[in-house]
Every structure is written in structure tokens, then in C-alpha cells.
Coordinates of all heavy atoms in Angstrom, one line a residue:
M24 N 0.9 -1.2 0.0 CA 0.0 0.0 0.0 C 0.9 1.2 0.0 O 1.8 1.4 0.9 CB -0.9 0.0 1.2 CG -2.0 1.0 1.2 SD -3.1 1.0 2.7 CE -3.5 -0.7 2.9
D25 N 0.7 2.1 -1.0 CA 1.5 3.3 -1.0 C 1.2 4.4 0.0 O 0.1 4.3 0.6 CB 1.6 3.9 -2.4 CG 0.3 4.5 -2.9 OD1 -0.6 4.8 -2.0 OD2 0.1 4.8 -4.1
N26 N 2.0 5.3 0.3 CA 1.8 6.3 1.3 C 0.6 7.2 1.1 O 0.0 7.6 2.0 CB 3.1 7.1 1.5 CG 4.2 6.4 2.2 OD1 3.9 5.4 3.0 ND2 5.4 6.8 2.1
D27 N 0.4 7.5 -0.2 CA -0.8 8.4 -0.6 C -2.1 7.7 -0.1 O -3.0 8.3 0.4 CB -0.8 8.7 -2.1 CG 0.3 9.7 -2.5 OD1 0.8 10.4 -1.6 OD2 0.5 9.7 -3.7
L28 N -2.2 6.4 -0.4 CA -3.4 5.6 -0.1 C -3.5 5.5 1.4 O -4.6 5.7 2.0 CB -3.4 4.2 -0.7 CG -4.6 3.3 -0.5 CD1 -5.9 4.0 -0.9 CD2 -4.4 2.0 -1.2
K29 N -2.4 5.3 2.1 CA -2.4 5.2 3.6 C -2.9 6.6 4.2 O -3.7 6.6 5.1 CB -1.1 4.9 4.1 CG -0.7 3.4 4.0 CD 0.7 3.2 4.6 CE 1.2 1.8 4.4 NZ 2.5 1.5 4.9
S30 N -2.4 7.6 3.6 CA -2.8 9.0 4.1 C -4.3 9.2 3.9 O -5.0 9.7 4.7 CB -2.0 10.1 3.4 OG -0.7 10.0 3.7
E31 N -4.8 8.8 2.7 CA -6.2 9.0 2.4 C -7.1 8.2 3.4 O -8.1 8.6 3.8 CB -6.5 8.6 1.0 CG -8.0 8.9 0.6 CD -8.3 8.5 -0.9 OE1 -7.4 8.0 -1.6 OE2 -9.5 8.7 -1.2
I32 N -6.7 6.9 3.6 CA -7.4 6.1 4.5 C -7.5 6.7 5.9 O -8.5 6.8 6.6 CB -6.8 4.6 4.6 CG1 -7.0 3.9 3.3 CG2 -7.4 3.8 5.7 CD1 -6.2 2.7 3.1
E33 N -6.3 7.2 6.4 CA -6.2 7.8 7.7 C -7.1 9.0 7.8 O -7.8 9.3 8.8 CB -4.8 8.1 8.1 CG -4.5 8.4 9.5 CD -5.0 7.3 10.5 OE1 -5.0 6.1 10.1 OE2 -5.5 7.6 11.6
E34 N -7.1 9.8 6.7 CA -7.8 11.1 6.7 C -9.4 10.7 6.7 O -10.1 11.4 7.4 CB -7.6 11.8 5.3 CG -8.1 13.2 5.2 CD -7.7 13.9 3.9 OE1 -6.5 13.9 3.6 OE2 -8.6 14.4 3.3
I35 N -9.8 9.7 6.0 CA -11.2 9.3 6.1 C -11.6 8.9 7.5 O -12.6 9.3 8.0 CB -11.5 8.2 5.0 CG1 -11.4 8.8 3.6 CG2 -12.9 7.6 5.3 CD1 -11.4 7.7 2.5
R36 N -10.7 8.0 8.1 CA -11.0 7.6 9.5 C -11.1 8.7 10.4 O -11.9 8.7 11.3 CB -10.0 6.5 9.9 CG -10.2 5.2 9.2 CD -9.2 4.1 9.7 NE -9.2 4.0 11.2 CZ -8.2 3.7 11.9 NH1 -7.0 3.5 11.4 NH2 -8.3 3.7 13.2
K37 N -10.2 9.7 10.3 CA -10.2 10.8 11.2 C -11.4 11.8 11.0 O -11.7 12.5 11.9 CB -8.9 11.6 11.1 CG -7.7 10.8 11.8 CD -6.5 11.6 11.6 CE -5.3 10.9 12.3 NZ -4.1 11.7 12.2
S38 N -12.0 11.7 9.8 CA -13.0 12.7 9.5 C -14.4 12.2 10.0 O -15.3 13.0 10.0 CB -13.1 12.9 7.9 OG -13.7 11.7 7.3
V39 N -14.5 11.0 10.5 CA -15.8 10.5 11.0 C -15.6 10.1 12.5 O -14.5 9.7 12.9 CB -16.3 9.3 10.2 CG1 -16.7 9.8 8.8 CG2 -15.4 8.1 10.2
D40 N -16.7 10.2 13.2 CA -16.7 9.8 14.6 C -17.4 8.4 14.7 O -18.5 8.3 14.2 CB -17.4 10.8 15.5 CG -17.5 10.3 16.9 OD1 -16.4 10.0 17.5 OD2 -18.6 10.2 17.5
I41 N -16.7 7.4 15.2 CA -17.3 6.0 15.2 C -18.6 6.0 15.9 O -19.5 5.3 15.5 CB -16.3 5.1 15.9 CG1 -16.7 3.6 15.6 CG2 -16.1 5.3 17.4 CD1 -15.7 2.6 15.9
V42 N -18.9 6.8 17.0 CA -20.1 6.8 17.6 C -21.2 7.3 16.7 O -22.3 6.7 16.6 CB -20.1 7.6 18.9 CG1 -21.5 7.8 19.5 CG2 -19.1 7.1 19.9
D43 N -21.0 8.4 16.0 CA -22.0 8.9 15.0 C -22.3 7.9 14.0 O -23.4 7.8 13.6 CB -21.5 10.2 14.4 CG -21.4 11.4 15.4 OD1 -22.1 11.3 16.4 OD2 -20.6 12.3 15.2
V44 N -21.3 7.3 13.4 CA -21.5 6.3 12.4 C -22.3 5.1 12.9 O -23.3 4.7 12.3 CB -20.2 5.8 11.8 CG1 -20.4 4.6 10.8 CG2 -19.4 6.9 11.1
I45 N -21.9 4.5 14.0 CA -22.6 3.3 14.5 C -24.0 3.7 14.9 O -25.0 2.9 14.7 CB -21.8 2.6 15.6 CG1 -20.5 2.1 15.1 CG2 -22.6 1.6 16.4 CD1 -19.6 1.4 16.0
K46 N -24.3 4.9 15.4 CA -25.6 5.3 15.8 C -26.6 5.3 14.7 O -27.8 5.3 14.8 CB -25.6 6.7 16.4 CG -25.3 6.8 17.9 CD -25.4 8.2 18.4 CE -25.4 8.3 19.9 NZ -25.5 9.7 20.3
K47 N -26.1 5.5 13.4 CA -26.9 5.4 12.2 C -27.5 4.0 12.0 O -28.4 3.8 11.3 CB -26.1 5.9 11.0 CG -25.7 7.3 11.0 CD -26.7 8.2 10.7 CE -26.2 9.6 10.6 NZ -27.2 10.6 10.4
Y48 N -26.8 3.0 12.6 CA -27.2 1.6 12.4 C -27.9 1.0 13.6 O -28.8 0.2 13.4 CB -26.0 0.8 12.1 CG -25.3 1.1 10.8 CD1 -24.2 2.0 10.7 CD2 -25.7 0.6 9.6 CE1 -23.6 2.4 9.5 CE2 -25.1 0.9 8.4 CZ -24.1 1.8 8.3 OH -23.5 2.1 7.1
I49 N -27.5 1.3 14.8 CA -28.1 0.8 16.0 C -28.1 1.9 17.1 O -27.3 2.8 17.1 CB -27.3 -0.5 16.5 CG1 -25.8 0.0 16.9 CG2 -27.3 -1.6 15.6 CD1 -25.1 -1.1 17.7
P50 N -29.1 1.8 18.0 CA -29.2 2.7 19.1 C -28.0 2.5 20.1 O -27.7 1.4 20.4 CB -30.5 2.4 19.7 CG -31.3 1.6 18.8 CD -30.3 0.9 17.9
L51 N -27.4 3.6 20.5 CA -26.4 3.5 21.5 C -26.8 4.3 22.7 O -27.4 5.4 22.6 CB -25.1 4.1 20.9 CG -24.4 3.2 19.8 CD1 -23.2 4.0 19.3 CD2 -24.1 1.8 20.3
E52 N -26.4 3.9 23.9 CA -26.6 4.6 25.2 C -25.3 4.9 25.8 O -24.4 4.0 26.0 CB -27.5 3.7 26.0 CG -27.8 4.3 27.4 CD -28.6 3.4 28.2 OE1 -29.7 2.8 27.7 OE2 -28.3 3.2 29.4
K53 N -25.1 6.1 26.2 CA -23.8 6.5 26.9 C -23.8 6.1 28.4 O -24.8 6.3 29.1 CB -23.6 8.0 26.8 CG -22.2 8.5 27.2 CD -22.0 9.9 26.9 CE -20.6 10.2 27.3 NZ -20.2 11.6 27.1
R54 N -22.7 5.4 28.8 CA -22.6 5.1 30.2 C -21.1 5.5 30.5 O -20.2 4.8 30.2 CB -22.7 3.6 30.4 CG -24.1 3.1 30.2 CD -24.2 1.6 30.6 NE -25.4 1.0 30.0 CZ -25.5 -0.3 29.7 NH1 -24.5 -1.0 30.0 NH2 -26.5 -0.8 29.2
G55 N -21.0 6.6 31.2 CA -19.7 7.1 31.4 C -19.0 7.6 30.2 O -19.7 8.4 29.4
K56 N -17.8 7.2 29.8 CA -17.2 7.6 28.6 C -17.5 6.7 27.4 O -17.1 7.0 26.3 CB -15.6 7.6 28.9 CG -15.2 8.7 29.8 CD -13.7 8.6 29.9 CE -13.1 9.7 30.9 NZ -11.7 9.6 30.9
I57 N -18.1 5.5 27.7 CA -18.4 4.5 26.7 C -19.8 4.5 26.3 O -20.7 4.7 27.1 CB -17.9 3.1 27.2 CG1 -16.4 3.2 27.8 CG2 -18.1 2.0 26.2 CD1 -15.4 3.4 26.7
Y58 N -20.1 4.1 25.1 CA -21.4 3.9 24.6 C -21.7 2.4 24.4 O -20.7 1.6 24.1 CB -21.6 4.5 23.2 CG -21.6 6.0 23.2 CD1 -20.5 6.8 23.4 CD2 -22.8 6.7 23.2 CE1 -20.5 8.1 23.4 CE2 -22.9 8.1 23.2 CZ -21.7 8.8 23.3 OH -21.7 10.2 23.4
F59 N -22.9 2.0 24.7 CA -23.3 0.5 24.6 C -24.5 0.3 23.7 O -25.4 1.2 23.7 CB -23.5 -0.1 26.0 CG -22.3 -0.2 26.8 CD1 -21.8 0.8 27.6 CD2 -21.5 -1.4 26.7 CE1 -20.6 0.7 28.4 CE2 -20.4 -1.5 27.5 CZ -19.9 -0.5 28.3
G60 N -24.6 -0.8 23.1 CA -25.7 -1.1 22.2 C -25.9 -2.6 22.1 O -25.0 -3.4 22.4
I61 N -27.0 -3.0 21.4 CA -27.2 -4.4 21.1 C -26.3 -4.7 19.9 O -26.4 -4.1 18.9 CB -28.7 -4.6 20.8 CG1 -29.6 -4.2 21.9 CG2 -28.9 -6.1 20.4 CD1 -29.5 -5.1 23.2
C62 N -25.5 -5.7 20.0 CA -24.6 -6.1 18.9 C -25.4 -6.6 17.7 O -26.2 -7.5 17.9 CB -23.6 -7.2 19.4 SG -22.4 -7.7 18.1
P63 N -25.1 -6.1 16.5 CA -25.8 -6.5 15.4 C -25.2 -7.7 14.7 O -25.7 -8.2 13.7 CB -25.7 -5.3 14.4 CG -24.4 -4.7 14.8 CD -24.3 -4.9 16.3
F64 N -24.1 -8.3 15.3 CA -23.4 -9.3 14.6 C -23.7 -10.7 15.2 O -23.1 -11.7 14.7 CB -21.9 -9.1 14.7 CG -21.5 -7.7 14.1 CD1 -20.9 -6.7 14.8 CD2 -21.8 -7.5 12.8 CE1 -20.6 -5.5 14.3 CE2 -21.5 -6.2 12.2 CZ -20.9 -5.3 12.9
H65 N -24.6 -10.8 16.2 CA -25.0 -12.1 16.7 C -26.4 -11.9 17.4 O -26.8 -10.7 17.5 CB -24.0 -12.7 17.7 CG -24.0 -12.0 19.0 ND1 -23.3 -10.8 19.2 CD2 -24.5 -12.3 20.2 CE1 -23.4 -10.4 20.4 NE2 -24.2 -11.3 21.1
K66 N -27.1 -12.9 17.7 CA -28.3 -12.8 18.4 C -28.1 -12.3 19.8 O -27.6 -13.0 20.7 CB -29.1 -14.1 18.4 CG -30.5 -14.0 18.9 CD -31.2 -15.4 18.7 CE -32.6 -15.2 19.2 NZ -33.4 -16.4 19.0
D67 N -28.4 -11.0 20.0 CA -28.1 -10.3 21.3 C -29.3 -9.8 21.9 O -30.2 -9.4 21.2 CB -27.1 -9.2 21.0 CG -26.3 -8.7 22.2 OD1 -26.4 -9.3 23.3 OD2 -25.6 -7.7 22.1
T68 N -29.4 -9.9 23.2 CA -30.6 -9.4 23.9 C -30.3 -8.3 24.9 O -31.2 -7.6 25.3 CB -31.3 -10.6 24.7 OG1 -30.4 -11.2 25.6 CG2 -31.9 -11.6 23.7
S69 N -29.0 -8.2 25.3 CA -28.6 -7.1 26.2 C -27.4 -6.4 25.6 O -26.6 -7.1 24.8 CB -28.3 -7.7 27.6 OG -27.2 -8.6 27.5
P70 N -27.3 -5.2 25.9 CA -26.2 -4.4 25.3 C -24.8 -5.0 25.6 O -24.3 -4.9 26.7 CB -26.3 -3.0 25.9 CG -27.7 -2.9 26.3 CD -28.1 -4.3 26.7
S71 N -24.2 -5.6 24.6 CA -22.8 -6.1 24.8 C -21.8 -5.5 23.9 O -20.6 -5.8 24.0 CB -22.9 -7.7 24.6 OG -23.2 -8.0 23.2
L72 N -22.2 -4.6 23.0 CA -21.3 -3.9 22.1 C -20.9 -2.6 22.8 O -21.8 -1.8 23.1 CB -22.0 -3.7 20.8 CG -21.1 -3.0 19.7 CD1 -20.2 -4.1 19.1 CD2 -21.9 -2.3 18.7
S73 N -19.6 -2.4 23.0 CA -19.2 -1.1 23.5 C -18.5 -0.3 22.4 O -17.8 -0.9 21.6 CB -18.2 -1.4 24.7 OG -17.0 -1.9 24.3
V74 N -18.6 1.0 22.5 CA -18.0 1.8 21.5 C -17.3 2.9 22.2 O -17.9 3.6 23.0 CB -19.1 2.5 20.5 CG1 -18.4 3.3 19.5 CG2 -19.9 1.4 19.9
S75 N -16.0 3.0 22.0 CA -15.2 4.0 22.6 C -14.9 5.2 21.7 O -14.1 5.1 20.7 CB -13.8 3.4 23.1 OG -12.9 4.4 23.5
P76 N -15.4 6.4 22.0 CA -15.2 7.5 21.2 C -13.7 8.0 21.3 O -13.1 8.5 20.4 CB -16.1 8.6 21.7 CG -16.6 8.1 23.0 CD -16.4 6.6 23.1
E77 N -13.1 7.8 22.5 CA -11.7 8.2 22.8 C -10.8 7.3 21.9 O -9.9 7.9 21.3 CB -11.4 7.9 24.3 CG -10.1 8.4 24.7 CD -9.9 8.2 26.1 OE1 -10.7 8.6 27.0 OE2 -8.8 7.7 26.5
K78 N -11.0 6.0 21.8 CA -10.1 5.1 21.0 C -10.6 4.9 19.6 O -9.9 4.4 18.8 CB -10.0 3.8 21.7 CG -9.3 3.9 23.1 CD -9.3 2.5 23.8 CE -8.6 2.6 25.2 NZ -8.7 1.4 25.9
Q79 N -11.9 5.3 19.3 CA -12.5 5.2 18.0 C -12.5 3.7 17.6 O -12.2 3.3 16.5 CB -11.7 6.0 16.9 CG -11.9 7.5 17.1 CD -13.4 7.9 16.8 OE1 -13.9 7.7 15.7 NE2 -14.1 8.4 17.9
V80 N -12.9 2.8 18.5 CA -13.1 1.4 18.3 C -14.3 0.9 18.9 O -14.9 1.5 19.8 CB -11.8 0.6 18.9 CG1 -10.6 1.0 18.1 CG2 -11.7 0.7 20.3
Y81 N -14.7 -0.3 18.4 CA -15.9 -1.0 19.0 C -15.5 -2.4 19.4 O -14.5 -3.0 18.9 CB -17.1 -1.0 18.1 CG -16.9 -2.0 16.9 CD1 -17.4 -3.2 17.0 CD2 -16.3 -1.5 15.8 CE1 -17.2 -4.1 15.9 CE2 -16.1 -2.4 14.7 CZ -16.6 -3.7 14.8 OH -16.4 -4.5 13.7
K82 N -16.2 -3.0 20.4 CA -15.9 -4.4 20.8 C -17.2 -5.0 21.4 O -17.9 -4.4 22.2 CB -14.8 -4.4 21.9 CG -14.6 -5.7 22.6 CD -13.4 -6.4 22.2 CE -13.1 -7.6 23.0 NZ -13.3 -8.8 22.2
C83 N -17.5 -6.2 20.9 CA -18.6 -6.9 21.5 C -18.0 -7.9 22.5 O -17.1 -8.7 22.2 CB -19.4 -7.7 20.5 SG -20.7 -8.7 21.2
F84 N -18.5 -7.9 23.7 CA -18.0 -8.8 24.8 C -18.6 -10.1 24.8 O -18.2 -11.0 25.5 CB -18.1 -8.1 26.2 CG -17.3 -6.9 26.3 CD1 -17.8 -5.6 26.1 CD2 -15.9 -7.0 26.5 CE1 -17.0 -4.5 26.2 CE2 -15.1 -5.9 26.5 CZ -15.7 -4.6 26.4
S85 N -19.6 -10.3 23.9 CA -20.3 -11.7 23.7 C -19.6 -12.4 22.5 O -19.2 -13.6 22.7 CB -21.8 -11.6 23.5 OG -22.4 -11.1 24.7
C86 N -19.7 -11.8 21.3 CA -19.2 -12.6 20.2 C -17.8 -12.2 19.7 O -17.2 -12.9 18.9 CB -20.2 -12.3 19.0 SG -20.0 -10.7 18.2
G87 N -17.2 -11.2 20.3 CA -15.8 -10.8 20.0 C -15.6 -9.9 18.8 O -14.5 -9.6 18.5
A88 N -16.7 -9.5 18.2 CA -16.6 -8.6 17.0 C -15.9 -7.3 17.5 O -16.2 -6.8 18.6 CB -17.9 -8.3 16.5
S89 N -14.9 -6.8 16.7 CA -14.2 -5.6 17.2 C -13.6 -5.0 16.0 O -13.4 -5.6 14.9 CB -13.2 -6.0 18.3 OG -12.2 -6.8 17.7
G90 N -13.1 -3.7 16.2 CA -12.4 -3.0 15.2 C -12.6 -1.5 15.2 O -13.2 -1.0 16.1
N91 N -12.3 -0.9 14.1 CA -12.5 0.5 13.9 C -13.8 0.7 13.1 O -14.5 -0.2 12.7 CB -11.3 1.2 13.3 CG -10.9 0.6 12.0 OD1 -11.8 0.3 11.2 ND2 -9.6 0.5 11.7
V92 N -14.0 2.0 12.7 CA -15.2 2.4 12.0 C -15.2 1.7 10.6 O -16.3 1.3 10.1 CB -15.3 3.9 11.8 CG1 -14.2 4.5 11.0 CG2 -16.7 4.3 11.4
V93 N -14.1 1.5 9.9 CA -14.1 0.8 8.6 C -14.5 -0.6 8.8 O -15.3 -1.2 8.0 CB -12.7 0.9 8.0 CG1 -12.7 0.1 6.7 CG2 -12.3 2.3 7.8
N94 N -14.0 -1.3 9.8 CA -14.4 -2.7 10.1 C -15.9 -2.8 10.4 O -16.5 -3.8 9.9 CB -13.6 -3.3 11.3 CG -12.1 -3.3 11.2 OD1 -11.4 -2.6 11.9 ND2 -11.6 -4.0 10.2
F95 N -16.4 -1.9 11.1 CA -17.9 -1.9 11.4 C -18.7 -1.9 10.1 O -19.6 -2.7 9.9 CB -18.3 -0.8 12.4 CG -19.7 -0.9 12.7 CD1 -20.1 -1.7 13.8 CD2 -20.7 -0.2 12.0 CE1 -21.4 -1.8 14.2 CE2 -22.0 -0.3 12.4 CZ -22.4 -1.1 13.4
I96 N -18.4 -0.9 9.3 CA -19.1 -0.8 8.0 C -18.9 -2.0 7.2 O -19.9 -2.5 6.6 CB -18.6 0.4 7.2 CG1 -18.9 1.8 8.0 CG2 -19.2 0.5 5.8 CD1 -20.3 2.1 8.1
M97 N -17.7 -2.6 7.1 CA -17.5 -3.8 6.3 C -18.3 -4.9 6.8 O -19.0 -5.6 6.0 CB -16.0 -4.2 6.4 CG -15.1 -3.3 5.6 SD -13.3 -3.7 5.9 CE -13.2 -5.4 5.4
D98 N -18.3 -5.1 8.1 CA -19.1 -6.3 8.7 C -20.6 -6.0 8.6 O -21.4 -6.9 8.3 CB -18.7 -6.5 10.1 CG -17.3 -7.0 10.3 OD1 -16.7 -7.4 9.3 OD2 -16.7 -6.9 11.4
Y99 N -21.1 -4.8 8.9 CA -22.5 -4.5 9.0 C -23.1 -4.5 7.6 O -24.1 -5.1 7.3 CB -22.8 -3.2 9.6 CG -24.3 -3.0 10.0 CD1 -24.8 -3.4 11.2 CD2 -25.2 -2.5 9.0 CE1 -26.1 -3.2 11.5 CE2 -26.5 -2.3 9.3 CZ -27.0 -2.7 10.6 OH -28.3 -2.6 10.9
E100 N -22.4 -3.8 6.6 CA -22.9 -3.7 5.3 C -22.6 -4.9 4.4 O -23.0 -5.0 3.2 CB -22.4 -2.4 4.6 CG -22.9 -1.2 5.3 CD -24.4 -0.8 4.9 OE1 -24.9 -1.4 4.0 OE2 -24.9 0.2 5.5
K101 N -21.6 -5.7 4.9 CA -21.1 -6.9 4.1 C -20.5 -6.4 2.8 O -20.9 -6.8 1.7 CB -22.2 -7.9 3.9 CG -22.6 -8.6 5.2 CD -23.7 -9.6 5.0 CE -24.2 -10.3 6.2 NZ -24.1 -9.7 7.5
V102 N -19.6 -5.4 2.9 CA -18.9 -4.8 1.8 C -17.4 -5.0 1.9 O -16.9 -5.3 3.0 CB -19.2 -3.3 1.6 CG1 -20.7 -3.2 1.3 CG2 -18.9 -2.5 2.8
S103 N -16.7 -4.7 0.9 CA -15.2 -4.8 0.9 C -14.6 -3.6 1.6 O -15.3 -2.6 1.9 CB -14.7 -4.8 -0.6 OG -14.8 -3.5 -1.2
F104 N -13.3 -3.6 1.9 CA -12.6 -2.5 2.5 C -12.8 -1.2 1.7 O -13.1 -0.2 2.2 CB -11.1 -2.9 2.6 CG -10.3 -1.8 3.2 CD1 -10.3 -1.7 4.6 CD2 -9.4 -1.1 2.5 CE1 -9.5 -0.7 5.2 CE2 -8.7 -0.1 3.1 CZ -8.7 0.1 4.4
E105 N -12.6 -1.4 0.4 CA -12.7 -0.2 -0.5 C -14.1 0.4 -0.5 O -14.3 1.6 -0.5 CB -12.3 -0.6 -1.9 CG -10.8 -0.9 -2.1 CD -10.5 -2.3 -1.7 OE1 -11.3 -3.1 -1.4 OE2 -9.2 -2.6 -1.6
E106 N -15.1 -0.5 -0.5 CA -16.5 0.0 -0.5 C -16.8 0.6 0.8 O -17.5 1.6 0.9 CB -17.5 -1.2 -0.7 CG -17.4 -1.7 -2.2 CD -18.1 -3.1 -2.3 OE1 -18.0 -4.0 -1.5 OE2 -18.9 -3.2 -3.3
A107 N -16.3 0.1 1.9 CA -16.5 0.7 3.2 C -15.9 2.1 3.3 O -16.5 3.0 3.8 CB -15.9 -0.1 4.3
L108 N -14.7 2.3 2.7 CA -14.1 3.6 2.7 C -14.9 4.6 1.9 O -15.1 5.7 2.3 CB -12.7 3.5 2.1 CG -11.6 2.9 2.9 CD1 -10.3 2.8 2.2 CD2 -11.4 3.7 4.2
E109 N -15.5 4.1 0.8 CA -16.3 4.9 -0.1 C -17.6 5.3 0.7 O -18.0 6.5 0.6 CB -16.6 4.2 -1.4 CG -17.1 5.0 -2.5 CD -16.1 6.1 -3.0 OE1 -14.9 5.8 -2.9 OE2 -16.5 7.2 -3.3
I110 N -18.2 4.5 1.4 CA -19.4 4.8 2.2 C -19.0 5.9 3.2 O -19.8 6.8 3.4 CB -19.9 3.5 2.9 CG1 -20.6 2.6 1.9 CG2 -20.9 3.9 4.0 CD1 -20.9 1.2 2.4
L111 N -17.9 5.7 3.9 CA -17.5 6.7 4.9 C -17.2 8.1 4.2 O -17.5 9.1 4.7 CB -16.3 6.2 5.7 CG -16.7 5.1 6.6 CD1 -15.4 4.4 7.2 CD2 -17.6 5.5 7.8
K112 N -16.5 8.0 3.1 CA -16.1 9.2 2.4 C -17.3 10.0 1.9 O -17.3 11.2 2.0 CB -15.3 8.7 1.2 CG -14.5 9.8 0.5 CD -13.6 9.1 -0.5 CE -13.2 10.0 -1.7 NZ -12.3 9.4 -2.6
N113 N -18.4 9.3 1.5 CA -19.6 9.9 1.0 C -20.6 10.2 2.1 O -21.7 10.7 1.8 CB -20.2 9.1 -0.1 CG -19.3 9.0 -1.3 OD1 -18.6 10.0 -1.7 ND2 -19.2 7.9 -1.9
R114 N -20.3 9.9 3.3 CA -21.2 10.1 4.4 C -21.5 11.5 4.6 O -20.6 12.4 4.6 CB -20.6 9.5 5.7 CG -21.5 9.4 6.8 CD -20.8 8.7 8.0 NE -21.6 8.7 9.1 CZ -21.6 9.8 10.0 NH1 -20.8 10.7 9.8 NH2 -22.4 9.7 11.0
K115 N -22.8 11.8 4.8 CA -23.2 13.2 5.1 C -23.6 13.4 6.5 O -24.2 12.6 7.1 CB -24.3 13.6 4.1 CG -23.9 13.4 2.7 CD -24.0 14.6 2.0 CE -23.7 14.3 0.5 NZ -23.0 14.9 -0.3

């Protein structure tokens, strides 16, 4: 991966807030510094997905799903890395 592409990817990731992005897909509730919601990646009945605005990552304590905003879009939308970047880039 060349430096221009790495820079563009980092710029896209920094331009969005993971909490705002995930809130478009699932309801999140703030508890202290962390947000929690029902994990969309397995059959969940209680909020096991945590989202850290400080670290810009998510983690499910039940199924183990985790990552950054790009990973969330890839997993939720079932799209490629490039398609996830495009979704984030065109996000309004």
C-alpha cells in the first residue's frame, strides 16, 4: 500500500466519529465515557457492544466482534474494504 493511499485512509477515518457512524445503524446509550448497544453481529438481547469515542473502536464482549469504523461498516454492510471507505467518504 503506497503512502498516498495510507494517508487517504487515515484522513477518512479521522473525518468521522465512530459513535456517530454506529448510531446510524443501532441505538447507543452512553454510560460514562463509553457507549453501549445491542450487537448486530449475533443474536443479542442485552447491550454487549461497547463503542469508545476516545479510542475510536468497538468491541462486543459476547461474540468478540471488534475493530474501527471501517471494520464496522465492512461487517454490517457486508462490503469490501474499498467499499466501506467509499461509504464513509460519502457520508453526510
Side-chain angles (χ1 to χ4, degrees):
M24 191 179 311
D25 68 14
N26 286 337
D27 288 342
L28 183 56
K29 284 182 184 178
S30 294
E31 183 180 1
I32 292 167
E33 195 57 32
E34 189 176 310
I35 292 168
R36 284 185 53 216
K37 286 181 178 181
S38 72
V39 296
D40 178 57
I41 194 167
V42 173
D43 291 338
V44 172
I45 293 178
K46 272 185 172 180
K47 297 280 186 189
Y48 295 94
I49 62 169
L51 294 176
E52 181 182 310
K53 188 172 184 182
R54 293 187 201 152
K56 294 181 179 182
I57 306 293
Y58 289 78
F59 289 89
I61 302 291
C62 181
F64 304 119
H65 72 281
K66 189 173 181 176
D67 200 5
T68 56
S69 61
S71 61
L72 184 81
S73 69
V74 183
S75 170
E77 186 178 311
K78 295 178 183 176
Q79 291 293 297
V80 296
Y81 71 94
K82 167 107 175 111
C83 176
F84 294 101
S85 291
C86 73
S89 64
N91 59 36
V92 68
V93 178
N94 301 115
F95 184 87
I96 296 293
M97 288 172 59
D98 292 343
Y99 193 92
E100 296 282 352
K101 296 180 180 20
V102 296
S103 69
F104 180 77
E105 292 80 8
E106 290 169 315
L108 287 176
E109 198 61 34
I110 289 168
L111 290 170
K112 194 170 153 179
N113 295 323
R114 189 175 173 275
K115 304 240 184 223

